[in-house]
Every structure is written in structure tokens, then in C-alpha cells.
């Protein structure tokens, strides 16, 4: 049903009802509370209430040495821990002014892209679940499990890795990691076709997502929406291309953008397909990395003591949810004076109120799912 | 990294804007003019506000760092505001909606007061929380709603 039909009130004014959704609600993807003002079944105003998972990340980091902050960053976005510690390490390295061995950069890109596949696969599963498709959820979880297993062989942990450190990585890739990952990629690529057939062109899925929750590109930028959600609105904004870090400038990959194939540019379907296509790009990056990775010592640039110069830095990183920024102020000690995390989902969620206005309550779930939020990172 | 023409055009907005060549950061002396300056900056195609960081400088002064980016020219700039603890800062929520939640966070965590913000209240902490945790002189309260807040955590490990 189009948005215009929903808002037609035929001149009769009725009282708004306030509906409370959450904090314990499966489709809020964590502990998010939504205060929804409704007119019948149509949302007239929406107010996200956050903070249920606040763990004082920024205060903690002011009392810890730089290297001990890394495990805390992992716990912020628990679905892409590698990105969190990678982004933080880049920020600290900018203050330290150190050059990394090329092998370290390639290893970081490998784990980051594997993490991106895992995170986007997770998104496809739960987004399908949000709109009522249960099969894709079980299928992508079976495949994501293999990535988690790969990380387990690499770091010993399944979700929170503490692998990327300022100045390097904690240890080199273990034996057979490369062959196992290649084996996984060979297995996973045909699986993608199956998921594609299940969801992308599924009539019910298109009905639920196409033309729903259109995020205009000007609105998106004004709200600071980044990552796949912004790219779905038709803007080619990817920090891996715009401000390449690590070795992304040596790698060949495309940035998928929303084209509005099933409806309007920037609708929920576009936000789904952008992430789906990004998985394919990540696989492409991984295959190149395994060809290009040089030999070397991963601990060569690891500083004995992390004591950055005086000053401040704002460092940007493309996490699976968008622009992950770290603003770090150092006064020359081994403890940071201030660490601010600009979490991508925090800004993405703030656009929810604007996007979901005028849609039905069931569509709010779809829109929220398509924004792919992680509450751990929003509340920090 | 801003180039010379951009620096000059930003400096010409107002006399109180200074630019540090070493840190590549703009600073503004008079915080009351911030909204007018910000409006002009937005007209220079800086359409994307990346981040607002609140900082406690400890000598009774607070600071705010605004990181801006232009999606058209791909340039990034940073503005710093330094002001005394009880100063009122003009909100830029009407220019960049990102500022809405980021300013609420700065108020919640650092106790910076913004004027002309439509919905200024705490965002991450409960509405009845006392104090602003990211201040350097913040002391954790003994009790919250009758619950004891443990401070010695050595036996937790």
C-alpha cells in the first residue's frame, strides 16, 4: 500500500495512541525502546529511547593504557569486533606515527572483510526473519558459523577477538588458515546464489520491502547516515574508496549503490541488496589479498610502550554499519585523555524517526531491521 | 586537509576564527557567534557533520570539537570551541540533524548546555541520574535508588 493511502484520514480527527515497544522485543535487535505515537495503525511520531546497554566505554578508556582499551572496543559492536579494534588501532597509530609491515595490513584487511561477510550475512538472516522469512535465517547462520569457526582457529575466541592491536596484530595467521578460508569461500559463493533465489526476487519479500521506508539522500546525509544504508540511497560513499586506509588502494573492488530496481531508490529492498552485493565484493577482496599477501614479521612494528605524541586525531573507518570514527586526545602519557567513539549505528538510528513517519507499525519493524543497528555500539 | 583557498574563505566568515597550521584545526573565540558561523560553513558545501566531541580541559573550561565533511569536494575540517563551564552554546541541530543526538550526548556526559535545542534531555543515562560522568572531577555516587554502587572491584576478577 502506498504512503498516501495510509495517511488519508478523510477529515476525521482521532486521538493518538502511544504504543510502547521494547526494551524487550525481539525485532528491536537488542534492548531498544520505541515510543510510537500512532493514529490507528499509522505511525505519526516515533521516539527511540536508548541507553539500556550503556557500559561507560569512554569513561573506562580514560583510565586504561591504550593497549588495554582494545578489548573494550571489541565489546561495543559485538557483531563486528574486528572492525572496532581495527578502527581504534588505526587512530592510535596515527598519533604514534608508525609504519606497519605490509603483511600486517593484509592480515587486517583479511579479517576485516571476513568480519564484514559475517556481519552482513547476519543482517540478511535477521532481516528476512523480520519480514517473516525463516529459512534464510537458518541457512546464513549455518554459513556464518564457518566464519566464526575460522576466527576461533585464528584467535581462540568466537565473538570478541582482541586480535588487532595498535602497531600490529596479536599473532600471525596459523597453519592452514589460508587454505581453510579459501575452502570456505569456494563453498560460500554457490550458497549465495541459493540465498539470492530465496529472498531477492521473492514476491512476498519484495512486497514487504520495496517502496517502504524511503530514505532520501539529502535527508540521509543531514542525519549522518553512513555505510550501506547511505549507499542504498544512491550515494557512492565508502571510506575504503574515499579515504583508503590499510591496503585498500591496492585492491580492486566496486562499491554497490542502490538503484531502486524494485521500487524507489533508498527503500528497504535497496538497503538489503547493497549489503548482499557487498558480500560478493568482500569475497573478491579476500581472494586478491591471499594472492598478494607477502611474508614478514607481524610484530616488527609493535611498540614496546604505547606513548603517543601530544595532540588529537579524528580517524575514520568503514565498519559494516558505516563510518566508525575515533576522536582520541593524547597528552603524552600512556593513558588517553579522551576517547570518543563516533558509532555509525548511533547516527543511523537517529534517522529512524524521520524515515518511519507515516508508515504502519509492521513497516517500522522492516525499516528498523533494514538499518541494521547493534545496540551495543549505540549505547557504548 | 584543507587547502589555502578554503582556509581563507572560512577565515573571511568572521574575525574570531583562527587557524592553526600545525594541528589543521580552526578555533572560534566567541562561542555566541557559532550558529551564524556554522550557517556560513554549511553554505560552503559542508553537508555532513561527522562527529561532535565534548572535552573537559580541567581548568574550569570545556571544549567541543566539530568534525565536518563535504560529500561533494571530499574535504574534511575540524572546528574547536573552548568556553567556561557555565557557558551556553548555540545548538546547530537545525543545520545538521546529526547534531540532535550528539548534542544530547554532550549534555548527558559532559554537562554542556545548549540553547535552542528542541529536545534537550539525557540520552544514554537514566533521566534522574546525577552529575555528568565524563567530567574529570566526577565522583560516583554511593547509592542509586537505594542500590549500593560498589567501587572496590578487586575481588570481581
Amino acid at each position: 500500500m502506498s504512503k498516501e493511502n495510509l495517511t488519508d484520514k478523510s477529515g476525521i480527527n482521532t486521538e493518538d495512541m502511544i504504543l510502547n515497544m521494547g526494551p524487550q522485543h525481539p525485532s528491536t535487535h537488542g534492548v531498544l525502546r520505541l515510543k510510537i505515537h500512532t493514529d490507528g495503525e499509522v505511525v505519526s511520531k516515533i521516539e527511540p529511547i536508548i541507553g539500556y546497554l550503556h557500559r561507560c566505554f569512554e569513561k573506562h578508556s580514560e583510565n586504561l593504557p591504550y593497549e588495554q582499551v582494545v578489548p573494550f572496543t571489541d565489546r561495543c559492536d559485538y557483531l563486528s569486533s574486528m572492525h572496532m579494534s581495527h578502527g581504534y588501532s588505526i587512530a592510535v597509530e596515527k598519533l604514534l606515527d608508525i609504519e606497519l609491515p605490509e603483511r600486517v595490513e593484509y592480515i587486517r584487511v583479511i579479517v576485516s572483510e571476513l568480519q564484514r561477510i559475517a556481519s552482513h550475512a547476519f543482517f540478511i538472516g535477521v532481516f528476512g526473519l523480520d519480514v517473516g522469512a525463516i529459512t534464510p535465517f537458518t541457512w546464513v547462520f549455518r554459513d556464518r558459523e564457518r566464519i566464526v569457526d575460522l576466527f576461533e582457529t585464528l584467535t581462540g575466541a568466537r565473538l570478541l577477538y582482541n586480535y588487532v592491536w595498535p602497531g600490529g596484530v596479536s599473532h600471525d595467521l596459523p597453519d592452514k588458515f589460508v587454505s581453510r578460508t579459501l575452502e570456505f569461500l569456494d563453498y560460500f559463493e554457490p550458497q549465495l546464489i541459493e540465498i539470492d533465489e530465496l529472498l531477492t526476487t521473492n514476491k512476498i519479500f519484495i512486497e514487504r520491502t520495496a517502496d517502504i521506508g524511503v530514505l532520501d539522500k539529502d535527508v540521509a546525509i543531514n542525519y549522518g547516515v553512513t555505510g550501506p544504508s547511505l549507499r542504498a540511497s544512491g550515494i557512492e560513499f565508502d571510506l575504503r574508496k574515499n579515504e583508503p586506509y590499510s591496503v585498500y588502494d591496492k585492491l580492486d573492488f566496486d562499491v554497490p549503490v542502490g538503484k531502486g530496481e524494485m521500487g524507489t531508490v533508498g527503500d528497504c529492498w535497496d538497503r538489503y541488496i547493497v549489503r548482499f552485493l557487498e558480500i560478493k565484493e568482500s569475497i573478491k577482496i579476500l581472494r586478491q589479498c591471499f594472492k598478494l599477501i607477502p611474508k614478514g614479521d607481524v610484530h616488527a612494528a609493535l611498540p614496546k610502550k604505547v606513548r603517543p605524541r601530544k595532540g588529537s586525531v579524528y580517524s575514520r573507518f568503514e565498519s559494516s554499519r558505516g563510518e566508525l570514527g575515533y576522536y582520541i586526545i593524547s597528552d603524552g602519557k600512556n593513558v588517553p585523555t579522551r576517547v570518543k567513539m563516533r558509532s555509525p549505528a548511533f547516527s543511523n538510528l537517529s534517522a529512524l524517526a524521520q524515515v518511519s513517519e507515516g508508515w504502519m507499525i509492521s513497516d517500522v519493524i522492516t525499516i528498523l531491521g533494514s538499518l541494521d543497528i547493534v545496540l551495543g555500539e549505540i549505547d557504548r | 586537509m584543507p587547502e589555502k583557498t578554503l582556509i581563507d574563505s572560512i577565515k573571511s566568515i568572521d574575525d574570531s576564527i583562527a587557524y592553526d597550521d600545525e594541528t589543521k584545526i580552526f578555533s572560534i573565540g566567541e562561542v555566541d557567534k557559532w550558529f551564524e558561523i556554522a550557517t556560513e560553513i554549511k553554505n560552503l558545501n559542508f553537508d555532513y557533520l561527522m562527529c561532535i566531541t565534548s572535552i573537559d580541559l580541567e581548568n574550569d573550561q570545556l571544549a567541543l570539537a566539530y568534525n565536518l565533511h563535504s560529500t561533494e569536494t571530499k574535504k574534511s575540517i575540524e572546528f574547536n570551541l573552548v568556553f567556561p563551564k557555565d557557558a551556553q552554546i548555540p545548538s546547530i541541530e537545525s543545520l545538521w540533524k546529526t547534531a540532535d543526538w550528539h548534542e544530547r550526548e554532550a549534555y548527558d556526559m559532559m554537562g554542556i548546555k545548549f540553547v535552542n535545542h528542541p529536545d534537550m534531555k539525557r540520552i544514554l543515562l537514566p533521566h534522574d541520574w546525577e552529575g555528568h560522568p565524563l567530567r574529570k572531577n566526577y565522583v560516583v555516587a554511593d547509592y542509586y535508588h537505594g542500590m549500593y554502587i560498589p567501587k572496590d572491584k578487586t575481588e570481581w576478577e
Side-chain angles (χ1 to χ4, degrees):
Chain A
M1 203 186 283
S2 78
K3 204 173 172 179
E4 283 72 35
N5 293 346
L6 292 173
T7 44
D8 181 20
K9 293 184 198 166
S10 24
I12 304 163
N13 282 329
T14 48
E15 202 178 322
D16 272 16
M17 187 172 75
I18 298 174
L19 188 77
N20 186 53
M21 197 186 270
Q24 311 297 339
H25 190 291
S27 56
T28 52
H29 301 264
V31 275
L32 168 68
R33 187 179 148 210
L34 297 174
K35 217 166 149 183
I36 306 174
H37 298 244
T38 57
D39 176 17
E41 216 181 327
V42 180
V43 174
S44 56
K45 195 183 150 200
I46 198 163
E47 209 183 316
I49 295 163
I50 58 174
Y52 290 92
L53 215 59
H54 182 58
R55 292 150 297 170
C56 326
F57 161 70
E58 288 171 12
K59 189 72 182 172
H60 274 304
S61 6
E62 288 176 13
N63 298 305
L64 289 167
Y66 284 93
E67 58 269 31
Q68 290 184 17
V69 178
V70 178
F72 281 88
T73 62
D74 278 353
R75 279 147 184 80
C76 283
D77 183 351
Y78 36 81
L79 290 180
S80 41
S81 313
M82 286 291 187
H83 293 162
M84 292 285 141
S85 43
H86 192 178
Y88 173 78
S89 301
I90 288 177
V92 177
E93 281 150 15
K94 276 187 185 165
L95 280 171
L96 283 166
D97 298 316
I98 47 173
E99 279 281 310
L100 294 180
E102 202 155 72
R103 183 170 177 86
V104 172
E105 296 284 21
Y106 275 103
I107 291 176
R108 284 180 175 192
V109 171
I110 288 167
V111 291
S112 278
E113 291 309 317
L114 269 177
Q115 184 76 86
R116 205 180 303 276
I117 295 173
S119 175
H120 284 345
F122 188 94
F123 162 80
I124 289 170
V126 292
F127 186 51
L129 210 57
D130 279 343
V131 297
I134 295 168
T135 320
F137 177 74
T138 56
W139 287 15
V140 295
F141 260 64
R142 177 195 59 199
D143 300 339
R144 178 179 170 271
E145 192 66 21
R146 294 186 59 148
I147 303 180
V148 174
D149 285 344
L150 279 172
F151 280 141
E152 201 178 355
T153 59
L154 176 63
T155 66
R158 290 167 54 80
L159 270 183
L160 310 164
Y161 313 108
N162 188 17
Y163 181 66
V164 183
W165 289 353
V169 290
S170 83
H171 52 267
D172 208 342
L173 298 177
D175 296 345
K176 290 185 187 165
F177 180 82
V178 176
S179 60
R180 274 185 189 161
T181 312
L182 283 171
E183 213 173 276
F184 163 73
L185 294 180
D186 291 337
Y187 155 82
F188 188 54
E189 259 178 317
Q191 296 294 327
L192 273 176
I193 300 166
E194 284 196 336
I195 294 163
D196 192 28
E197 281 169 356
L198 258 185
L199 269 182
T200 312
T201 47
N202 184 319
K203 177 97 169 82
I204 304 167
F205 183 71
I206 292 169
E207 292 276 309
R208 283 298 309 269
T209 55
D211 278 326
I212 303 285
V214 179
L215 180 59
D216 199 53
K217 62 179 177 187
D218 296 331
V219 177
I221 292 177
N222 202 249
Y223 272 94
V225 175
T226 44
S229 304
L230 177 65
R231 291 194 280 280
S233 298
I235 298 176
E236 210 178 306
F237 180 88
D238 190 324
L239 293 170
R240 291 176 294 171
K241 281 267 190 226
N242 292 10
E243 287 179 20
Y245 48 85
S246 281
V247 283
Y248 279 110
D249 46 352
K250 289 176 194 166
L251 302 166
D252 171 45
F253 62 100
D254 299 322
V255 179
V257 288
K259 296 192 182 81
E261 283 157 78
M262 295 294 163
T264 325
V265 179
D267 58 8
C268 289
W269 191 85
D270 272 355
R271 285 196 280 278
Y272 154 78
I273 198 72
V274 163
R275 288 187 175 90
F276 182 79
L277 294 173
E278 266 181 31
I279 293 183
K280 291 186 175 174
E281 295 304 321
S282 292
I283 293 173
K284 215 160 99 184
I285 294 173
L286 280 169
R287 289 200 190 277
Q288 289 173 50
C289 280
F290 286 126
K291 278 192 193 119
L292 293 167
I293 186 166
K295 288 205 162 37
D297 180 14
V298 293
H299 287 161
L302 208 62
K304 285 263 177 338
K305 246 185 186 157
V306 186
R307 262 180 204 278
R309 64 178 159 83
K310 268 189 185 180
S312 65
V313 69
Y314 180 71
S315 153
R316 309 166 79 193
F317 181 90
E318 183 74 30
S319 105
S320 45
R321 263 152 273 283
E323 175 178 335
L324 169 69
Y326 280 98
Y327 193 98
I328 299 180
I329 301 175
S330 155
D331 58 354
K333 293 195 194 110
N334 65 337
V335 179
T337 314
R338 175 85 168 93
V339 177
K340 154 92 184 177
M341 180 195 273
R342 185 253 189 236
S343 54
F346 183 75
S347 293
N348 290 3
L349 180 66
S350 71
L352 176 75
Q354 169 83 23
V355 184
S356 48
E357 205 177 287
W359 293 103
M360 299 225 285
I361 293 170
S362 56
D363 295 329
V364 172
I365 301 300
T366 317
I367 296 165
L368 182 68
S370 74
L371 287 172
D372 189 21
I373 56 162
V374 165
L375 263 297
E377 175 201 42
I378 291 169
D379 297 343
R380 280 157 287 155
Chain B
M1 206 169 290
E3 27 171 71
K4 198 158 182 315
T5 48
L6 180 66
I7 294 168
D8 289 340
S9 58
I10 290 172
K11 269 184 170 175
S12 65
I13 295 170
D14 198 275
D15 295 335
S16 65
I17 302 176
Y19 179 69
D20 191 332
D21 282 313
E22 207 176 307
T23 55
K24 315 262 187 261
I25 294 172
F26 293 93
S27 56
I28 292 161
E30 295 165 59
V31 285
D32 298 339
K33 287 184 184 169
W34 171 231
F35 185 79
E36 285 74 31
I37 294 169
T39 316
E40 291 296 320
I41 295 164
K42 205 192 170 191
N43 291 341
L44 289 169
N45 260 331
F46 284 97
D47 50 355
Y48 168 37
L49 173 69
M50 296 188 283
C51 185
I52 301 177
T53 311
S54 54
I55 304 148
D56 188 356
L57 298 173
E58 286 189 272
N59 46 355
D60 270 330
Q61 280 192 317
L62 299 173
L64 280 169
Y66 293 81
N67 288 86
L68 294 154
H69 183 75
S70 166
T71 48
E72 208 172 284
T73 59
K74 308 263 190 292
K75 294 266 183 306
S76 301
I77 49 170
E78 184 178 334
F79 276 86
N80 278 7
L81 266 66
V82 179
F83 45 87
K85 269 183 180 158
D86 51 354
Q88 306 254 326
I89 310 301
S91 165
I92 52 165
E93 183 267 348
S94 53
L95 300 172
W96 294 281
K97 289 285 180 201
T98 329
D100 184 350
W101 281 22
H102 275 92
E103 280 174 359
R104 275 175 69 186
E105 193 193 323
Y107 161 72
D108 191 0
M109 292 297 166
M110 201 62 90
I112 296 169
K113 293 174 193 75
F114 291 93
V115 284
N116 293 334
H117 189 285
D119 189 24
M120 186 45 73
K121 59 184 181 196
R122 289 189 182 270
I123 184 164
L124 294 176
L125 298 177
H127 65 277
D128 55 353
W129 193 266
E130 282 171 18
H132 303 282
L134 282 183
R135 289 268 179 100
K136 292 283 180 191
N137 58 359
Y138 176 75
V139 185
V140 183
D142 289 336
Y143 289 91
Y144 176 69
H145 283 285
M147 286 177 286
Y148 179 66
I149 304 174
K151 294 192 188 67
D152 180 20
K153 294 171 184 171
T154 43
E155 286 175 17
W156 284 25
E157 286 164 4

